[in-house]
């Protein structure tokens, strides 16, 4: 008896005329070193009852080590972008996901981040304009950071810390709807609400 069971889970890809699609990312992303993560959320394997949401969204939340929290990076508006492209050959195709953005300062905090991040492994949570959070990096594939510092030139040149993040994944930047524990409270990624009041949607 054949042991292989191939599932056909595709759906039609539709777009309604007049439906708004907002490009770009919001002005704040979150990151944490992988050594500060105790337990990772999981991606469900394809199954007969799979939906697009089940196939692309992490189940559960990141569990962090004691006293650890997600840190934030404020970004220059309108300059963040996520790109994911396939790499490798069947049956081992993965995706190389890249996030590029710019942090506007080049002070001690930004410079220290650039120095230390070059040799560390991370997970990043990036909120798109639509409010959805997407993940770069995970248990199997860490996110790596390349940070380029520029003072800008002349009187109108733009300086800052250009950040390029790369991470391999099984799919293009999975969605995340779990909790994000920060110094300002716990963000519910599914809604953008912060425990104790407030909202992450304005960042």
């Amino acid at each position: 008896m054949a042991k292989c069971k191939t599932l056909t889970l595709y759906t039609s890809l539709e777009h309604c005329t007049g439906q708004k699609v907002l490009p770009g990312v919001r002005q704040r992303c979150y990151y944490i070193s992988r050594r500060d993560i105790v337990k990772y959320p999981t991606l469900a394997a394809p199954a007969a009852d799979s939906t697009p949401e089940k196939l692309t969204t992490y189940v559960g939340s990141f569990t962090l080590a004691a006293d650890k929290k997600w840190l934030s990076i404020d970004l220059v508006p309108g300059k963040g972008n996520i790109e994911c492209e396939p790499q490798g050959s069947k049956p081992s195709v993965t995706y190389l996901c890249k996030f590029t953005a710019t942090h506007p300062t080049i002070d001690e905090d930004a410079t220290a981040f650039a120095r230390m991040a070059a040799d560390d492994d991370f997970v990043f949570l990036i909120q798109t304009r639509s409010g959805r959070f997407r993940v770069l990096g995970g248990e199997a594939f860490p996110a790596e950071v390349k940070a380029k510092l520029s003072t800008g030139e002349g009187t109108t040149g733009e300086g800052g810390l250009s950040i390029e993040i790369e991470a391999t994944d099984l799919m293009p930047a999975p969605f995340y709807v779990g909790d994000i524990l920060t110094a300002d409270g716990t963000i519910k990624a599914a809604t953008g609400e912060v425990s104790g009041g407030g909202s992450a949607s304005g960042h």
Side-chain angles (χ1 to χ4, degrees), residues 20 24 53 67 69-70 89 99 115 146 154 159-160 170 174 182:
K20 188 78 69 179
E53 289 76 15
D67 300 324
K69 294 179 173 62
W70 290 87
S89 303
F99 174 58
R115 174 182 178 176
K146 298 177 183 177
L170 300 179
T182 75

Side-chain angles (χ1 to χ4, degrees), residues 20-156:
K20 188 78 69 179
V21 179
L22 297 174
V25 301
R26 300 201 179 182
Q27 288 176 240
R28 177 172 290 175
C29 69
Y30 297 88
Y31 75 101
I32 195 165
S33 175
R34 289 209 310 166
R35 63 178 171 274
D36 294 331
I37 299 174
V38 175
K39 184 178 180 182
Y40 291 79
T42 58
L43 280 175
D49 63 346
S50 291
T51 63
E53 289 76 15
K54 289 181 179 179
L55 288 173
T56 58
T57 305
Y58 273 113
V59 177
S61 298
F62 288 92
T63 302
L64 308 184
D67 300 324
K68 298 300 181 180
K69 294 179 173 62
W70 290 87
L71 303 172
S72 62
I73 301 176
D74 288 337
L75 309 173
V76 174
K79 290 200 171 184
N81 181 44
I82 300 173
E83 292 184 337
C84 300
E85 59 183 5
Q87 60 182 3
S89 303
K90 297 178 183 178
S92 301
V93 174
T94 56
Y95 277 82
L96 179 61
C97 299
K98 296 182 180 181
F99 174 58
T100 54
T102 300
H103 172 71
T105 76
I106 56 171
D107 58 13
E108 289 87 350
D109 288 346
T111 303
F113 171 83
R115 174 182 178 176
M116 296 184 293
D119 296 312
D120 207 345
D121 295 328
F122 298 94
V123 172
F124 279 79
L125 301 178
I126 299 142
Q127 190 178 25
T128 64
R129 291 271 193 198
S130 67
R132 306 290 303 279
F133 280 92
R134 307 196 73 152
V135 182
L136 266 72
E139 188 170 17
F141 306 106
E144 298 182 353
V145 175
K146 298 177 183 177
K148 177 182 178 182
L149 187 148
S150 174
T151 62
E153 59 182 359
T155 57
T156 59

